[in-house]
Amino acid sequence: MSDPRVDIMRVGLLSEGTHDPGTPPAGIRRAPAGVDGLTTEHLIINMGPQHPSTHGVLRMLIEVDGEEIVTAEASVGYLHRGIEKLAEHRKFNALGTLMDRGDYVSGIHGELAVALAVERLMEIEVPAKADWIRSLVGEINRIASHLIWYGTFGLDTGAMGQFLYAMRDREALLDILEAITGQRMTFNYVRPGGVVADLPEGIDDKIRAFCDTFDRYLDEHEALLGGNEIFQARVKGIGVIDAEKALAFGLTGANLRAAGVDFDVRKARPYAAYPELDFEVPLGTTGDAWDRYVVRMGEMRQAARMIRQCIDGMPEGDYTAKVSKALRPPAGEVYASVESARGETGIHLVTDGGDTPYRMHYRGGSLFALQALEDIVPGHLIADVVMMIGSTDIMLGELDR
Amino acid sequence: MSPTLAIIIRLLAILILMLTNGVMMIYMLRKVLGHLHIRLGPVHVGPYGLLQTPMDVLKLLTKEDITPRAVDKWLFFLAPAVVAVPSLMAYAALPFGDGLAAVGLETGLLFTFAVLSIVPIGILMAGWASANKWSLLGGMRAAAQQIAYEVPLLLSVLPAVMIAGTMSLGGIVEAQSGTWLAVIPRWFITNPLLWPTFLIFAIAGLVELNQTPFDLSEGESEIVAGFASEYSAMKFGLMFLAEFSNQFVLSALGVTLFFGGWMLPWAPMSWYEAVPVLAPAVFITKTYIGIFVMMWIRGTFPRVRIDQLMDLGWKRLIPAALFLIVLTGVIHKVVV
């Protein structure tokens, strides 16, 4: 085994006997002698893929000096299912099912990206009602996704209560999504041409009732976690990704906006009903974990606002264009992107005129956020690592695809 | 009855109290957290889920006791005992009523703190012996916490001792009998001088107990389960039990030092003589109120970071506690 890290995994720091301080075991780098000439050894820890706070199966190899991180290396791929390759063998109508399983907590956005790509290739005109429904379910899904982030972010800090409060609200949202799409997480609802089914009877009352309570609940959430002194002490100034670095790493979504960069796909390259919806894009200033928290909480408020507008302004008409079941886009290349809960979710489709894509590339926000994370982790404490992972809201299903 | 027999009976009573208490507290924790978290807690096993925790104890007893190959066997085996035995000993001096302590020590306060401070050594042993890096980190955190917070905890009880003029827990309770201005009970908590002291006691106590928001040594979201990562079956059960038992002891100490121990406000002494169970009932009820507050905190608060914790201990609490001792001394001896 040439990789020194593999050796240290096997040796372990607590192996029998004491080693000669002159020759540290392979893989242990000796820290430079301190002011008093005291030397300490660095410990290399495997954080994940089985770890409570790496949000799934992320593996971080961290080298620590006591509690302080010296280097960090993220190791990904534990949830790789080959979505991009599988897509080459799926009909265009079925791509959405794969996307649902990519970013599985905000599936609608993945489906929408695929649908937009196919529609642009085939120049399908989508009816207005379909566009409005897409925005509606998209924003509902955004809140559901952000609630998961909010709950688990709190769990990362060690608080338990807010997680279950977040689940309570998410449950109501999933019920609504289930009523609309027939599924709670893997929807397969947005298809090229429109959506699969019309909104069910009486759903607007349900959604309105939710919005009314949610505004109040959101205040409660902000008071419960964000208003907590300990929480603020834990997140403020932690994991700063400034605008320059965020742009350099290709961050999108709330992670980018937390650094004060005003980029939102919904505004920059409008799709669905967003040109007609009135909403603001919350921005942060410094790009630390607290800013990311504030931006996401703000996004939930804006999403609730948009849901109301969607319900009030829902046009009459068809919910889907008349498209063939066997889609056969002309040979070509297209990129379509949407603003998902994790940033820009983009689909790059290359077609050769057949009934399956020649190549599909799936661009999600998590991978870029993780690369930035790797860069900012050193110098922080172990406890901060989980906070930073939590604050960037990476999603391993999307990251490993 | 011979004195030896009497002591054995008392110690047995403590053992039974600790075990049943631990089981009850785990049930209570589940119910309290459940309702704080808009869920129900255990409901299925027995009426109101009451049998859930006894069944869990049975489960822990019958589970396979796993000893990983790489561990330091002696330390690994000893650590749960070093954690559990002192927390059992700490019950000895608690005054459940007028003279109703298993061992009526003159230095009961000192004794209780002395045995409680052995617990983190057991945690450190467990962390070191487990041959697991997370456990090691947990153990080290426990040691750092212990060193930093033992001092303010002890310093914070000194003003109460100074006012009471005794280190006997029973004596401290008696010093709190009667009323100020015939209305306010003479409990130390009603004395504004002791309010900051109580705050320091509560914070340092939570740290000593490894309770949220200071549960760094097992902080499950950071270091998996810390010192307890490699423990299973009843070894884990013992550590778990000790944690709850310590919670009871510390809450009981708080009640004794600041909330009048086994006394009800305004109740004349004759009541306790007429109804012998009144004093223990009052004491345990007050203790459980303290435990409830701890559970409430546990269900709500995030965890602090290790450097913030050290900062708070060394830079704020210790100087504050020292200052409060001087202040109490001056005011109590010079003014009053």
Side-chain angles (χ1 to χ4, degrees), chain B:
Chain B
M1 196 159 51
S2 76
T4 326
L5 189 66
I7 284 184
I8 289 173
I9 290 175
R10 283 168 177 178
L11 293 183
L12 269 178
I14 286 179
L15 189 65
I16 293 165
L17 176 75
M18 179 207 178
L19 291 173
T20 49
N21 213 18
V23 171
M24 273 320 290
M25 278 171 63
I26 295 170
Y27 174 75
M28 178 181 165
L29 175 74
R30 285 172 163 180
K31 276 292 183 192
V32 169
L33 284 190
H35 285 281
L36 283 176
H37 292 169
I38 45 169
R39 51 197 174 87
L40 295 173
V43 284
H44 291 296
V45 187
Y48 306 103
L50 269 169
L51 293 179
Q52 180 78 51
T53 324
M55 290 301 149
D56 281 343
V57 174
L58 278 184
K59 183 202 74 176
L60 279 174
L61 281 168
T62 52
K63 271 183 93 164
E64 185 192 353
D65 181 23
I66 300 166
T67 308
R69 200 174 34 189
V71 302
D72 185 326
K73 292 213 172 48
W74 271 105
L75 281 184
F76 190 74
F77 184 78
L78 270 178
V82 176
V83 172
V85 171
S87 75
L88 184 57
M89 286 164 69
Y91 281 76
L94 294 182
F96 286 85
D98 195 5
L100 196 65
V103 188
L105 286 173
E106 270 307 304
T107 51
L109 189 71
L110 197 62
F111 169 80
T112 313
F113 280 116
V115 291
L116 272 186
S117 64
I118 299 174
V119 173
I121 297 175
I123 292 178
L124 182 60
M125 279 164 70
W128 177 259
S130 291
N132 178 320
K133 291 167 186 173
W134 300 117
S135 301
L136 179 66
L137 282 172
M140 290 304 165
R141 283 179 176 191
Q145 257 170 270
Q146 153 79 359
I147 294 166
Y149 280 83
E150 193 78 351
V151 184
L153 183 64
L154 272 170
L155 292 180
S156 72
V157 298
L158 282 186
V161 172
M162 285 158 74
I163 295 175
T166 170
M167 273 221 182
S168 145
L169 290 172
I172 291 173
V173 175
E174 270 157 35
Q176 299 178 58
S177 58
T179 48
W180 304 93
L181 311 169
V183 190
I184 310 161
R186 226 176 227 284
W187 297 356
F188 287 162
I189 196 67
T190 57
N191 183 348
L193 199 56
L194 288 175
W195 289 347
T197 309
F198 175 71
L199 200 63
I200 295 174
F201 173 82
I203 294 173
L206 281 177
V207 180
E208 284 288 297
L209 292 172
N210 289 322
Q211 282 290 316
T212 311
F214 309 110
D215 56 339
L216 286 102
S217 60
E218 59 173 311
E220 73 288 337
S221 65
E222 295 154 20
I223 51 172
V224 191
F227 65 92
S229 297
E230 297 290 351
Y231 280 90
S232 56
M234 211 48 209
K235 281 196 192 116
F236 172 75
L238 270 182
M239 297 220 239
F240 199 50
L241 194 64
E243 188 185 309
F244 283 92
S245 155
N246 291 342
Q247 217 174 322
F248 183 88
V249 171
L250 212 98
S251 180
L253 275 179
V255 167
T256 308
L257 287 168
F258 296 100
F259 292 90
W262 43 267
M263 288 185 296
L264 281 172
W266 311 294
M269 278 304 185
S270 56
W271 286 17
Y272 306 108
E273 282 154 29
V275 190
V277 294
L278 182 62
V282 170
F283 184 76
I284 289 177
T285 311
K286 282 183 186 175
T287 305
Y288 265 84
I289 292 172
I291 291 167
F292 172 77
V293 173
M294 286 190 225
M295 289 174 176
W296 190 0
I297 292 172
R298 182 170 176 165
T300 320
F301 273 22
R303 184 183 305 118
V304 302
R305 209 169 53 203
I306 183 87
D307 58 324
Q308 294 165 346
L309 183 74
M310 293 296 124
D311 234 48
L312 180 68
W314 291 112
K315 293 189 191 158
R316 317 250 173 93
L317 292 193
I318 293 180
L322 283 171
F323 172 72
L324 284 168
I325 290 174
V326 176
L327 188 72
T328 314
V330 169
I331 292 182
H332 204 69
K333 292 296 171 203
V334 179
V335 182
V336 185

Side-chain angles (χ1 to χ4, degrees), chain A residues 117-232:
Chain A
V118 176
E119 282 156 11
R120 269 175 215 170
L121 264 181
M122 300 183 68
E123 290 167 4
I124 297 172
E125 197 63 36
V126 178
K129 186 170 189 188
D131 268 344
W132 281 77
I133 294 179
R134 285 172 171 188
S135 281
L136 171 70
V137 288
E139 291 311 313
I140 293 177
N141 206 188
R142 189 184 315 279
I143 297 184
S145 172
H146 278 0
L147 281 172
I148 288 242
W149 157 80
Y150 163 80
T152 52
F153 189 33
L155 280 183
D156 291 342
T157 62
M160 268 193 286
Q162 34 68 44
F163 177 70
L164 288 128
Y165 287 84
M167 287 302 113
R168 168 197 62 191
D169 300 349
R170 177 170 177 267
E171 204 59 26
L173 284 170
L174 291 192
D175 284 346
I176 291 170
L177 282 173
E178 189 182 13
I180 298 176
T181 70
Q183 282 289 345
R184 293 165 67 81
M185 283 175 85
T186 50
F187 311 103
N188 198 16
Y189 180 65
V190 180
R191 306 265 179 94
V195 294
V196 115
D198 205 351
L199 292 178
E201 287 282 314
I203 193 73
D204 42 348
D205 292 336
K206 259 193 204 167
I207 297 174
R208 270 199 199 98
F210 172 82
C211 286
D212 291 343
T213 51
F214 187 63
D215 284 346
R216 192 159 46 81
Y217 283 160
L218 208 51
D219 292 336
E220 196 179 286
H221 288 315
E222 280 187 338
L224 190 57
L225 191 63
N228 189 305
E229 294 265 342
I230 299 175
F231 177 77
Q232 292 186 8

Side-chain angles (χ1 to χ4, degrees), chain A residues 120 263-271 335 337 344:
Chain A
R120 269 175 215 170
F263 174 77
D264 187 317
V265 182
R266 290 171 294 182
K267 292 270 192 202
R269 300 194 281 272
Y271 57 95
Y335 177 78
S337 65
E344 180 174 349

